[in-house]
Amino acid sequence: MATTATTITVEGGIPYVTTPPFDMTFRASKVKEIIGAVLKEKLSGVVYHADNTSAWCREIADEIKQKLKLMGLERYKFVVQVVIGEQKGEG
């Protein structure tokens, strides 16, 4: 299957790509798999302690962002936000 992108030619004949090729589009299902794998790896068997949460959030966010960059989606910028809170008798 050929990968084509939609291009628009403007005044002066300069082509601008308006959409990425199909194989370079954002795949939410793949990102969810990456997030789940990182969370499982970093948080399995860990006991909540408020003093450690900021470091955990930073490590998790950095690893997720690094793995997203490895996907090669150059037309996208990634913002990763991680929040860890204590579940205290709430379920």
Side-chain angles (χ1 to χ4, degrees), residues 2-88:
T3 58
T4 60
T6 304
T7 59
I8 298 174
T9 304
V10 295
E11 187 176 323
I14 301 171
Y16 289 99
V17 178
T18 58
T19 60
F22 181 74
D23 61 340
M24 299 300 282
T25 56
F26 186 81
R27 306 262 188 241
S29 60
K30 181 67 176 162
V31 173
K32 286 180 183 180
E33 290 175 15
I34 290 171
I35 292 170
V38 171
L39 288 176
K40 190 176 283 188
E41 174 189 328
K42 293 285 187 181
L43 297 179
S44 62
V46 176
V47 177
Y48 176 84
H49 195 274
D51 296 336
N52 299 333
T53 56
S54 63
W56 290 341
C57 288
R58 196 173 319 108
E59 290 173 10
I60 291 168
D62 289 344
E63 187 164 341
I64 290 171
K65 198 177 339 176
Q66 178 186 14
K67 290 188 177 191
L68 290 176
K69 287 181 181 180
L70 292 175
M71 290 177 64
L73 303 175
E74 291 138 11
R75 293 179 58 99
Y76 297 92
K77 289 188 178 186
F78 300 108
V79 177
V80 179
Q81 181 179 9
V82 178
V83 178
I84 298 177
E86 182 178 18
Q87 187 175 6
K88 196 173 192 177

